[in-house]
Amino acid sequence: MPTWLYILISMAVAAFVGGLTNHFAIKMLFHPRKPIYLGSWRVPFTPGLIPKRKEEIAGSLGEIVSDYLVTTEGLQELLQKPQFRAQIENRLIEGIQRLGQDERTLKQFALGYMSEEAWEAYKDRTVLWLQGAVDQGIKWTWNRYELADKPLHELIPGWSPELMTRWSDMAAEGIMSAVREEITSLQGQRMLKRVASGLVSQSGGFLGAMASMFMDEEKIVQKMTPVLVEQLESEHVRVILSTKIERKLESLSTLPLDQVLRSMAGEDGLNWISRHARNMLQWKQWVQQAEEIHIGSLVSRFEERLTLVMPRVVQVALGMLERNMANIVKSIQLPQLVREQVERFPIERLEQIILSVSGREFQAITWLGALLGGIIGLFQALFMLWLG
């Protein structure tokens, strides 16, 4: 064989072996995906390096990300950058301006992100939450300030004998005025006629029969009404009624609030307050009215004010994030999060990403193996020729 052909074949074989070796070495990073068994014997180097060490790689990546890439200090430094804060402020202000021009109702806006059934369920949960929040607030106040055991006079601001007298006079005047109006009304006149008729019918015997023949109920009522009105307008009746009310208020003022409510309503004071609060606060009706409010009309009222306070809001919010960043990062458990994400990441997709980024470099490594193999083959052939 000619010398030049021997050298050429040696170089070609060595270059082929070197390139093929590097090619398979790169492929063995990802292949095979799963271990290969011949009976019970597992073929060496199966699965490939990355599939085999996926859990270890995930753990190492998690530690690297948490220790060097996404650190508390780095995040705090990011929050302190003026450019970052200005970017957040601009985006928030732009969002407020867009909402100020939005002509959709709150319901239409919500239906852009959820179904009709989900929106109705969300409204029901909101009503229940509001009712529960009010009940919890009333219960907390009731227990926190021990309202059940506090006498009534301690709960009413400015309670004094003068106040009781003034309330009693007002109550007496109100009662007398209401009774006067009732008596002089058509319904009151009918009531007086029934009373007169009852009195006549109760007078039995001969006198009762004579009274029913000669007495006119209409005239009796006409005679009774001015007398009753005159008595209701008299100072004497007002003083008696006012005194009775004042004595009742005085006796109630020393009683605990819970006992007062029990005597008046016949139920536990806390339950009575909670029930009346639920009746007064029509949350369901208010929520239904709120869903028809136009977002633009709602936001536009406060757009200028929100724009002015937005820098301060961003500063306070980012300041809170910065002060609590260590706890936030700790609670996120970043190493575990990264590890779980890497473990779930498909090997096929990971291979595509790496090859798309480093495909040229891997080809260069393959050709470099072929070049080194060819050089080694040249030296080997020359050495064999030198040995004879």
Side-chain angles (χ1 to χ4, degrees):
M1 179 183 298
T3 301
W4 65 270
L5 183 59
Y6 173 73
I7 295 174
L8 184 61
I9 292 175
S10 298
M11 291 177 61
V13 171
F16 177 76
V17 171
L20 187 65
T21 302
N22 282 8
H23 175 75
F24 277 108
I26 293 171
K27 285 293 183 181
M28 288 177 66
L29 292 173
F30 305 96
H31 299 274
R33 313 284 192 204
K34 298 179 181 179
I36 299 174
Y37 289 92
L38 296 177
S40 60
W41 179 69
R42 182 173 64 86
V43 177
F45 306 108
T46 62
L49 177 63
I50 292 180
K52 184 177 182 180
R53 303 292 184 182
K54 187 177 181 180
E55 294 183 1
E56 298 178 15
I57 294 172
S60 299
L61 284 176
E63 294 177 0
I64 291 172
V65 170
S66 61
D67 294 340
Y68 300 101
L69 299 180
V70 184
T71 62
T72 301
E73 295 76 11
L75 293 174
Q76 289 175 338
E77 183 179 351
L78 174 64
L79 296 178
Q80 293 173 357
K81 290 183 177 180
Q83 299 86 348
F84 181 74
R85 297 195 175 195
Q87 187 177 9
I88 294 180
E89 291 175 11
N90 293 334
R91 290 191 176 183
L92 290 175
I93 292 174
E94 290 174 359
I96 293 173
Q97 292 174 348
R98 286 196 300 270
L99 290 176
Q101 300 173 356
D102 200 327
E103 297 181 354
R104 293 175 296 175
T105 63
L106 182 60
K107 180 178 181 179
Q108 292 171 341
F109 179 81
L111 292 181
Y113 301 92
M114 62 179 69
S115 63
E116 181 81 25
E117 294 76 11
W119 171 245
E120 294 298 328
Y122 179 79
K123 286 198 306 181
D124 294 339
R125 290 196 301 269
T126 302
V127 171
L128 293 176
W129 181 86
L130 290 171
Q131 292 176 346
V134 172
D135 290 342
Q136 289 297 324
I138 294 174
K139 184 177 180 181
W140 181 87
T141 305
W142 181 269
N143 296 326
R144 172 66 177 78
Y145 297 101
E146 300 178 351
L147 298 181
D149 299 326
K150 284 194 174 183
L152 193 61
H153 66 83
E154 292 185 8
L155 298 173
I156 299 178
W159 183 271
S160 63
E162 294 77 13
L163 181 63
M164 280 196 303
T165 302
R166 187 162 63 251
W167 282 6
S168 301
D169 292 341
M170 292 172 59
E173 184 63 34
I175 293 172
M176 292 169 63
S177 177
V179 174
R180 282 197 306 269
E181 292 178 2
E182 182 64 23
I183 288 176
T184 56
S185 66
L186 181 60
Q187 184 177 355
Q189 293 292 297
R190 291 175 180 173
M191 180 192 68
L192 290 177
K193 287 181 182 180
R194 288 195 298 270
V195 172
S197 177
L199 290 173
V200 171
S201 63
Q202 289 177 4
S203 301
F206 178 74
L207 293 177
M210 294 294 294
S212 61
M213 292 174 60
F214 295 102
M215 295 183 67
D216 187 358
E217 296 174 358
E218 185 89 19
K219 293 181 178 180
I220 293 175
V221 172
Q222 292 177 358
K223 295 289 185 181
M224 288 176 59
T225 301
V227 174
L228 292 174
V229 171
E230 181 181 358
Q231 290 298 317
L232 289 172
E233 292 177 347
S234 66
E235 181 68 17
H236 177 68
V237 175
R238 190 192 66 78
V239 171
I240 293 176
L241 185 58
S242 177
T243 303
K244 292 287 187 182
I245 295 174
E246 186 174 355
R247 288 176 182 175
K248 188 62 177 178
L249 285 176
E250 186 176 1
S251 64
L252 290 175
S253 66
T254 58
L255 296 177
L257 177 61
D258 187 61
Q259 186 175 345
V260 173
L261 293 177
R262 284 179 183 274
S263 62
M264 294 175 58
E267 63 178 315
D268 179 77
L270 178 59
N271 293 337
W272 184 86
I273 295 175
S274 299
R275 180 168 58 82
H276 277 269
R278 285 193 294 270
N279 294 335
M280 291 174 58
L281 302 174
Q282 302 294 326
W283 293 117
K284 187 172 184 179
Q285 181 180 353
W286 293 347
V287 169
Q288 290 176 347
Q289 293 175 354
E291 71 176 357
E292 299 301 328
I293 296 176
H294 289 270
I295 295 177
S297 63
L298 180 64
V299 176
S300 60
R301 301 177 187 175
F302 310 98
E303 182 175 345
E304 184 177 356
R305 188 179 304 174
L306 289 173
T307 303
L308 292 176
V309 302
M310 192 55 63
R312 178 60 180 170
V313 172
V314 173
Q315 182 180 359
V316 172
L318 294 183
M320 293 177 60
L321 285 175
E322 184 179 346
R323 289 191 298 271
N324 296 279
M325 187 56 66
N327 295 329
I328 295 174
V329 173
K330 184 178 180 180
S331 62
I332 291 176
Q333 298 181 347
L334 192 58
Q336 180 179 353
L337 179 63
V338 174
R339 184 177 67 250
E340 292 175 354
Q341 294 297 323
V342 174
E343 289 177 352
R344 288 199 295 265
F345 201 78
I347 294 295
E348 296 82 0
R349 180 59 179 162
L350 180 62
E351 181 181 6
Q352 292 176 1
I353 294 174
I354 294 177
L355 291 178
S356 65
V357 175
S358 305
R360 293 183 179 180
E361 286 74 11
F362 285 158
Q363 291 180 0
I365 291 173
T366 301
W367 288 110
L368 180 61
L371 176 62
L372 293 176
I375 294 173
I376 293 172
L378 173 63
F379 280 104
Q380 182 180 359
L382 294 175
F383 181 72
M384 294 301 294
L385 291 172
W386 178 68
L387 290 178

